[in-house]
Amino acid sequence: MGGVYAVWFDPYDPAGPTVYANRVSPDGQLLWENSVVVQRICPSIYGVERFLTYPDGEGGLITYIITRGDNWHSDRFIRINRQGAVVIDRPINTGVDWVYPRYAGGANGECILFWWDWNPFGKPDTIRCQKIDREGNKMWGERPVVLDCCGSLCGPNNRIGIQVDQTGGAFLAFERDDTSSVLVHMSNDGRILFKKTVPGFNGLGSSRQPQNVMVPTDQNGVLFHRFGLKGQFSSDWEGEHYACAVDSAGRVLWEVLYSNRRCERLSFLDVVLSDGSGGAIFAWGENVPARGIWMQQVSRTGKLGEVTHVLEPSTRESTPQDFRLFPVYPNPFHQDVHISYRLVRTLRISLRIYDVSGREVIALVEQQQPQGLHEIVWDGLDRYGTPVSNGVYFCVLSTAVGTQIRKFALSH
């Protein structure tokens, strides 16, 4: 409905450690006068190890809380409706371990959990998954599905990723102890549709920084990032980066080289995002020889975008004393959108609108302007006078001292 839910843990609440929730409207107003007490935590335990939160498919939210103590743990499934009433609060034991589980919620309130398990020697050695419906029932049997037993030394960084498919199943990716990467497709009823090794599939997020590593594509498949070395002892400086797409049966639809720049990439900035049309936008950070964030679009058929955009650090960091681009309104807009900005001194500015793929839609301002408050109204037409389609757009205000960006959406 355009708003958000917030769920947080307060370990210092006077009534005891507590998990709270509240609902925020699109304009930033709290919709529940009093935050909902999701769960009081016994002070004698360590606290909340994890709480996973996702939509229930009916406008409310579900929170799966994992707590731990000495030789004891408790997992609870809690569902809250849009009015702020707790409608389900029950214990649940899926078998999830506390080590940074991944999860993906579906449109109908179902959730697929994906995690490492520990062996008696304190090493993660088993990959498991489970699916839960909106009532808190386990859908893939009482015991979780075992995907792989990798040995006592696997997964030092818990590199795992998950992407739901169009049928209620999911694509799951993980790294074995020999650093080989595995891609698995699970059906809606918990069957393994395929399981294959994917050389160079190193787009997996680390334990504390899970990234978007896969996006859905046509034929109920998935699109992901693969890294290839130019030589046997090559480093990331000389690597080749590919966009790969597979269908629901694991067949490779296409593979395209999208970057072979000789640079040191910042792996924690590697992100794959859907472009909204069956393709993806690959974004990565570079440290040397030149710092910056680069982006490349790849279409659903494997065609590279016309331009690779580069976002480089400004020579002088912009501050509110130089200029400020305010949030556009209304957002989303239907016909006209108001864009306001303030210049503290005379500056030459460029004010442009871009679509989600990085293509310029229209240049609204390209001139020197005096200090003061300025406002531009955009009517949703491109440079040719044609109405643009529904979607996400970016308003970019650029000056000699920096750039500021605002994101907004068009919904007819």
Side-chain angles (χ1 to χ4, degrees), residues 103-412:
Y103 68 102
N108 57 358
E110 297 173 347
C111 176
I112 297 176
L113 299 162
F114 181 39
W115 71 96
W116 293 106
D117 256 355
W118 295 87
N119 65 17
F121 304 100
K123 300 292 184 180
D125 69 347
T126 306
I127 299 290
R128 303 180 191 271
C129 61
Q130 179 61 274
K131 188 172 184 178
I132 306 172
D133 66 17
R134 71 174 66 181
E135 306 300 324
N137 302 308
K138 290 176 278 191
M139 302 178 64
W140 289 350
E142 189 59 31
R143 303 184 65 176
V145 178
V146 175
L147 296 182
D148 202 84
C149 294
C150 314
S152 61
L153 299 177
C154 78
N157 295 315
N158 294 305
R159 293 164 61 85
I160 57 180
I162 182 170
Q163 171 65 56
V164 295
D165 67 12
Q166 301 167 357
T167 65
F171 291 91
L172 311 170
F174 57 90
E175 188 177 85
R176 284 196 176 108
D177 56 340
D178 58 1
T179 70
S180 64
S181 298
V182 179
L183 181 65
V184 182
H185 190 195
M186 298 290 296
S187 68
N188 183 43
D189 57 1
R191 292 178 294 111
I192 298 177
L193 299 178
F194 75 77
K195 177 180 174 182
K196 60 184 300 182
T197 301
V198 182
F201 187 178
N202 71 336
L204 302 177
S206 65
S207 60
R208 295 184 182 272
Q209 291 180 308
Q211 286 98 359
N212 298 69
V213 297
M214 298 176 280
V215 296
T217 186
D218 291 349
Q219 302 183 38
N220 194 31
V222 69
L223 193 156
F224 56 89
H225 164 265
R226 188 180 76 78
F227 175 67
L229 297 176
K230 289 185 177 180
Q232 182 178 1
F233 301 104
S234 298
S235 67
D236 203 29
W237 280 79
E238 301 177 344
E240 297 176 327
H241 298 266
Y242 296 89
C244 305
V246 300
D247 62 14
S248 59
R251 293 184 293 265
V252 177
L253 300 175
W254 49 261
E255 180 175 281
V256 60
L257 176 69
Y258 73 87
S259 173
N260 61 353
R261 290 171 46 79
R262 191 178 187 277
C263 63
E264 180 185 8
R265 287 169 63 127
L266 303 174
S267 60
F268 60 87
L269 285 178
D270 280 331
V271 179
V272 185
L273 301 170
S274 172
D275 67 357
S277 302
I281 296 173
F282 293 81
W284 66 96
E286 296 182 3
N287 192 20
V288 287
R291 294 185 62 191
I293 297 176
W294 294 65
M295 294 179 287
Q296 174 67 65
Q297 183 197 18
V298 182
S299 75
R300 65 184 185 85
T301 59
K303 181 180 178 180
L304 295 179
E306 296 180 2
V307 180
T308 298
H309 299 276
V310 186
L311 178 62
E312 296 180 340
S314 167
T315 55
R316 184 167 79 87
E317 184 178 357
S318 64
T319 68
Q321 285 71 36
D322 294 319
F323 67 98
R324 182 181 179 188
L325 176 62
F326 298 101
V328 303
Y329 69 96
N331 185 12
F333 76 100
H334 305 294
Q335 294 180 335
D336 297 332
V337 61
H338 295 254
I339 304 169
S340 301
Y341 54 95
R342 183 186 300 278
L343 305 179
V344 178
R345 57 189 175 91
T346 299
L347 287 170
R348 181 173 182 81
I349 74 160
S350 169
L351 184 66
R352 299 171 183 267
I353 305 296
Y354 294 85
D355 65 16
V356 72
S357 66
R359 290 186 290 267
E360 180 183 314
V361 176
I362 190 172
L364 298 176
V365 180
E366 192 76 42
Q367 64 182 35
Q368 182 169 292
Q369 291 190 330
Q371 71 177 53
L373 181 65
H374 302 264
E375 180 176 281
I376 299 293
V377 178
W378 181 46
D379 56 5
L381 303 180
D382 63 15
R383 70 183 72 176
Y384 306 109
T386 304
V388 299
S389 59
N390 288 348
V392 175
Y393 294 87
F394 298 89
C395 175
V396 181
L397 176 63
S398 300
T399 73
V401 296
T403 299
Q404 293 184 7
I405 302 173
R406 294 294 182 180
K407 179 181 175 181
F408 60 102
L410 169 63
S411 177
H412 290 299

